[in-house]
Amino acid sequence: DTEVTQTPKHLVMGMTNKKSLKCEQHMGHRAMYWYKQKAKKPPELMFVYSYEKLSINESVPSRFSPECPNSSLLNLHLHALQPEDSALYLCASSQEVGRGNIQYFGAGTRLSVL
Amino acid sequence: RKEVEQDPGPFNVPEGATVAFNCTYSNSASQSFFWYRQDCRKEPKLLMSVYSSGNEDGRFTAQLNRASQYISLLIRDSKLSDSATYLCVVNIGGGADGLTFGKGTHLIIQP
């Protein structure tokens, strides 16, 4: 079983809703990541946090807002999403950012936007 | 040119056979290389890291050729449970620390 826990597992929301995805790890990792995966496509990086600071934002629309309240938690706040945002959202963590650091993935939140 | 390229397959292979996948990457500054496995509707799971010296883990062998910028994965004595999508993954490093995934190779082991 993965040591990166994501909640909820499934989420259905309307385009006017505000919701949040949560990710938690207790491996003492200092880097955390959000990826988006559409069906039959590979995961695509959205955000990277290193020591609770946002270090990479891969030109993600502002309707996705990440937050890292502490070293164990990573949230993704969602607002005014579009149906094309429906996807599997994966959280990952690694010991640090940088060369050789293995990323471990959570089971994901499957999001449907109606 | 795509950053990480793989043959999407599917590869249909009889149980017990040996199967090999290759993957090429375009960025010569890439620093870390991995094979991940992803089952249908599940998260990617690390299969193995890939080193220039090659590495082996049971029935799985991975090789890296930096000069030609390709990575390979060999699966011997394939099992039904090996059926999955195998993702070739590269970390460019140097601050760009997310992983870049290939599109994956779909493997089906047939009884």
Side-chain angles (χ1 to χ4, degrees), chain B residues 3-104:
Chain B
E3 292 192 50
V4 181
E5 292 205 55
Q6 294 180 251
D7 181 344
F11 284 45
N12 288 282
V13 173
E15 192 176 6
T18 296
V19 59
F21 311 137
N22 287 331
C23 157
T24 58
Y25 59 95
S26 60
N27 190 329
S28 59
S30 300
Q31 297 186 3
S32 308
F33 309 89
F34 309 92
W35 283 102
Y36 277 74
R37 168 194 170 132
Q38 188 168 25
D39 293 287
C40 187
R41 300 180 71 82
K42 299 281 192 181
E43 76 275 20
K45 291 188 177 177
L46 179 71
L47 181 65
M48 56 201 311
S49 302
V50 189
Y51 307 114
S52 297
S53 54
N55 50 312
E56 187 174 316
D57 182 3
R59 298 181 293 109
F60 298 85
T61 301
Q63 296 275 356
L64 166 64
N65 185 318
R66 283 191 184 270
S68 302
Q69 295 183 205
Y70 82 77
I71 305 150
S72 64
L73 177 67
L74 182 78
I75 306 175
R76 288 180 298 278
D77 187 24
S78 52
K79 311 287 185 196
L80 295 175
S81 57
D82 293 335
S83 297
T85 296
Y86 289 83
L87 297 160
C88 176
V89 184
V90 172
N91 187 333
I92 295 170
D97 288 299
L99 299 176
T100 301
F101 287 78
K103 288 193 172 180

Side-chain angles (χ1 to χ4, degrees), chain A residues 30-32 47-54 66-68 74:
Chain A
R30 302 315 299 267
M32 296 185 77
F47 302 104
V48 180
Y49 271 83
S50 176
Y51 286 82
E52 296 140 62
K53 286 188 172 31
L54 182 65
E67 179 199 14
C68 190
L74 185 66

